[in-house]
């Protein structure tokens, strides 16, 4: 690892250099890779130095048969010794056997509290312990826990904002289809990382994954967690708004009684939806249809109701309130029987109940979903807390219908539903992001 930077001083420009020849010789190191070099003002202050005067580095990896870890330089000390396949609690995935890509950052919440964060990609999760849970949405077990590899940077706009990109892998295609596709992997849309603090949470579940619980002076619990939101500049990709629906009652997911909103064969779109669930609601979600039946009628309003809608190719997003998880059900996303993994993506998530400081009333969070779709890439953000990126490989590579829904016999309100077609950097006939 070797990095240098120019630093301004009274003599003009100088060079500050940090150099490392390799991993510690006394350790059997695995995965020594992806160095990140940065300044760290908080660490400088803790060490009695001028903020921003130091230059530091971290390298992702592990110690063979012992633990995944992060190496911190210039001292090359290890920051973590967790043991192999460590889990924080039963609801969390294990942290694997090796770390891939590590980025250091200082993040803030709306109360201006600062948090030192290291964002890490993990590999080597325990497949057996991670794949035993089945849900009612499919008969196949969920895939082993994974994480994306991350690229991190910052830009300044009055306040420092941390921007990350995820590396989207091609692991759901077998080698033959990957070769046929002609390329392997791509970079996600930009995301902004920040911290979020929920004040005066009513009855928060114990051991809530990803949350830090702090009690205020009044004894009321505050919960703090990491947020991942789409970069606001992604709005520049919006071509036109295809529909912006008024508030209305959300129907069940039985397509014979529900209203489907039909964009005309979109290859890429952004969807923003907000749902208010009843106290007794057990599930809600939406289904994206990748093919359109011949019998479907399309009204001038862009909606259709038909009992013969083609439901053979679809991808569904489900919020399961009973299991406190978000599920992306992909088992009908492709008509191919071989060569494509369609295991579901599952992430823990719970809608919190928060007491309003002015009225004193307790209210459940709304279910807020943003989806970016581009031929075979699906990027999903739920309440700014869950970010799931996955691949779907429908033969059409398009969306022909969107159906928001709630559970049978349940009451829910669709507060917002907006759909934008996205600008494309490819020519109309280019299918380079599809598997033929």
């Amino acid at each position: 690892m070797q990095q240098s930077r120019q630093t301004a001083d009274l003599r003009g420009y100088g060079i500050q250099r940090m150099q490392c020849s390799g991993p510690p010789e006394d350790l059997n190191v695995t995965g020594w890779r992806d160095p990140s070099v940065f300044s760290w003002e908080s660490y400088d202050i803790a060490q009695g130095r001028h903020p921003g005067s130091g230059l530091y580095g971290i390298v992702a990896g592990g110690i063979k048969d012992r633990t995944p870890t992060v190496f911190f330089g210039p001292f090359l000390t290890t920051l973590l010794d967790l043991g192999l396949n460590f889990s924080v609690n039963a609801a969390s995935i294990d942290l694997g056997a090796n770390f891939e890509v590590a980025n250091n950052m200082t993040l803030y919440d709306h109360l201006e509290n600062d948090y030192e964060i290291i964002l890490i990609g993990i590999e080597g999760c325990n497949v057996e312990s991670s794949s035993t849970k089945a849900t009612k949405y499919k008969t196949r077990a969920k895939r082993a826990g994974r994480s994306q590899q991350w690229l991190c940077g910052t830009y300044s706009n009055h306040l420092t904002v941390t921007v990350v990109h995820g590396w989207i892998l091609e692991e759901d295609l077998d080698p033959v289809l990957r070769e046929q596709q002609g390329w392997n992997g791509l970079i996600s849309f930009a995301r902004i990382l920040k911290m979020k603090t929920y004040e005066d949470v009513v009855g928060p579940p114990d051991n809530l994954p990803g949350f830090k619980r702090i009690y205020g002076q009044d004894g009321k619990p505050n919960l703090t967690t990491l947020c991942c939101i789409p970069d606001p500049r992604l709005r520049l990709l919006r071509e036109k708004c295809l529909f912006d629906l008024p508030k209305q009652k959300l129907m069940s997911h039985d397509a014979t009684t529900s209203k489907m909103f039909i964009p005309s064969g979109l290859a890429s779109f952004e969807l923003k939806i907000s749902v208010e669930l009843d106290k007794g609601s057990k599930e809600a979600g939406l289904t994206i249809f990748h093919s359109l039946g011949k019998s479907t009628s399309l009204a001038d309003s862009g909606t259709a109701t038909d009992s013969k809608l083609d439901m053979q190719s679809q991808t569904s997003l489900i919020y399961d309130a009973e299991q406190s998880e978000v599920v992306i059900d992909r088992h009908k996303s492709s008509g191919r029987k071989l060569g494509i993994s369609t295991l579901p993506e599952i992430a823990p998530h719970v809608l919190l109940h928060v007491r309003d400081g002015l009225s004193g009333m307790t209210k459940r969070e709304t279910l807020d979903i943003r989806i970016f779709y581009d031929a075979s890439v699906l990027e999903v953000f739920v309440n700014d807390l869950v970010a799931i990126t996955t691949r779907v490989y429908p033969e059409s590579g398009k969306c022909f219908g969107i159906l928001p829904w709630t559970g049978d016999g349940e009451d829910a309100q669709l507060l917002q539903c907006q759909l934008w077609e996205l600008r494309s950097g490819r020519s109309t006939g280019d299918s380079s992001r599809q598997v033929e």
Side-chain angles (χ1 to χ4, degrees):
M1 174 173 63
Q2 180 171 328
Q3 179 75 18
S4 64
R5 69 175 182 184
Q6 288 188 325
T7 57
D9 55 28
L10 296 177
R11 296 168 296 177
Y13 287 95
I15 297 293
Q16 183 175 358
R17 185 180 299 274
M18 184 180 71
Q19 184 169 336
C20 171
S21 58
E25 295 182 357
D26 59 329
L27 297 175
N28 190 353
V29 173
T30 62
W32 175 267
R33 56 177 299 172
D34 304 309
S36 175
V37 178
F38 52 92
S39 59
W40 193 356
E41 293 187 1
S42 300
Y43 187 80
D44 290 332
I45 294 172
Q47 297 297 314
R49 305 189 185 105
H50 181 73
S53 61
L55 189 64
Y56 309 98
I58 52 178
V59 181
I63 301 174
K64 187 176 180 181
D65 299 326
R66 176 174 157 185
T67 184
T69 193
V70 172
F71 300 91
F72 175 64
F75 318 109
L76 285 185
T77 184
T78 56
L79 296 185
L80 298 168
D81 194 346
L82 302 170
L84 299 176
N85 302 107
F86 172 80
S87 294
V88 176
N89 54 50
S92 302
I93 65 170
D94 71 74
L95 298 183
N98 189 70
F99 288 156
E100 253 191 311
V101 187
N103 292 280
N104 169 272
M105 60 201 72
T106 303
L107 302 179
Y108 301 86
D109 63 13
H110 71 285
L111 302 175
E112 298 186 359
N113 298 316
D114 61 292
Y115 303 83
E116 302 303 323
I117 303 293
I118 297 180
L119 184 66
I120 301 171
I122 61 176
E123 62 179 3
C125 292
N126 190 329
V127 176
E128 291 182 1
S129 64
S130 300
S131 62
T132 56
K133 182 178 180 181
T135 78
K136 59 189 175 184
Y137 306 108
K138 78 291 174 189
T139 57
R140 304 176 67 181
K142 72 174 182 178
R143 69 162 82 228
R146 306 164 304 138
S147 74
Q148 288 180 299
Q149 301 175 42
W150 295 98
L151 308 173
C152 177
T154 62
Y155 72 88
S156 179
N157 182 16
H158 304 297
L159 294 174
T160 298
V161 176
T162 299
V163 183
V164 296
H165 295 266
W167 177 244
I168 304 174
L169 304 177
E170 214 69 50
E171 60 186 357
D172 290 330
L173 289 182
D174 70 15
V176 174
L177 294 180
R178 203 176 304 157
E179 181 70 21
Q180 176 185 322
Q181 182 175 246
W183 51 272
N184 189 1
L186 64 160
I187 302 296
S188 75
F189 279 144
R191 298 103 180 270
I192 303 294
L193 292 184
K194 62 180 182 179
M195 303 301 291
K196 184 174 183 178
T197 296
Y198 292 84
E199 300 177 82
D200 201 0
V201 179
V202 178
D206 294 330
N207 299 322
L208 197 60
F211 285 84
K212 181 179 181 180
R213 184 192 303 251
I214 300 176
Y215 289 90
Q217 294 181 350
D218 55 4
K220 297 177 180 178
N222 295 340
L223 296 180
T224 300
T225 190
L226 179 68
C227 288
C228 183
I229 64 176
D231 192 312
R233 293 171 294 180
L234 293 175
R235 291 193 298 264
L236 299 175
L237 294 176
R238 294 172 181 173
E239 182 72 36
K240 58 182 177 180
C241 184
L242 299 180
F243 56 72
D244 185 355
L245 304 177
K247 179 179 177 180
Q248 56 190 276
K249 184 177 180 180
L250 199 59
M251 306 299 289
S252 74
H253 49 52
D254 181 358
T256 62
T257 59
S258 298
K259 183 180 291 184
M260 176 188 285
F261 307 100
I262 300 184
S264 183
L266 286 181
S268 59
F269 66 81
E270 176 190 351
L271 176 67
K272 189 174 184 180
I273 185 171
S274 182
V275 176
E276 184 178 58
L277 298 177
D278 184 68
K279 290 183 179 179
S281 296
K282 297 179 180 179
E283 64 176 11
L286 61 95
T287 299
I288 300 169
F289 294 89
H290 302 294
S291 55
L292 191 60
K294 295 180 180 179
S295 63
T296 302
S297 59
L298 178 61
D300 293 337
S301 61
T303 65
T305 301
D306 194 306
S307 60
K308 297 181 180 179
L309 291 173
D310 182 1
M311 303 177 69
Q312 296 304 309
S313 181
Q314 62 180 255
T315 303
S316 293
L317 182 146
I318 304 114
Y319 172 65
D320 187 332
E322 290 186 316
Q323 298 294 328
S324 297
E325 61 187 18
V326 173
V327 180
I328 298 181
D329 185 355
R330 306 185 299 161
H331 81 279
K332 293 184 179 180
S333 61
S334 175
R336 289 179 177 269
K337 302 299 182 182
L338 300 174
I340 298 178
S341 171
T342 57
L343 292 175
E345 308 284 8
I346 302 176
H349 183 61
V350 62
L351 295 180
L352 299 174
H353 292 77
V354 180
R355 182 178 290 110
D356 183 85
L358 297 177
S359 66
M361 296 182 63
T362 299
K363 191 174 183 180
R364 188 187 199 181
E365 286 184 287
T366 56
L367 179 64
D368 301 321
I369 301 169
R370 287 186 68 182
I371 292 177
F372 295 87
Y373 173 78
D374 188 7
S376 67
V377 179
L378 192 66
E379 299 192 46
V380 176
F381 301 83
V382 182
N383 289 80
D384 295 343
L385 303 184
V386 173
I388 302 175
T389 301
T390 191
R391 305 297 298 275
V392 292
Y393 298 96
E395 283 74 3
S396 68
K398 296 180 180 180
C399 167
F400 289 94
I402 295 172
L403 179 67
W405 50 263
T406 187
D408 294 339
E410 297 179 2
D411 188 20
Q413 293 290 323
L414 184 64
L415 303 180
Q416 179 186 39
C417 186
Q418 293 176 290
L419 182 78
W420 294 270
E421 184 177 4
L422 297 183
R423 303 178 189 275
S424 175
R426 309 183 304 277
S427 63
T428 304
D430 186 357
S431 59
S432 60
R433 294 189 75 169
Q434 302 178 32
V435 176
E436 300 296 339

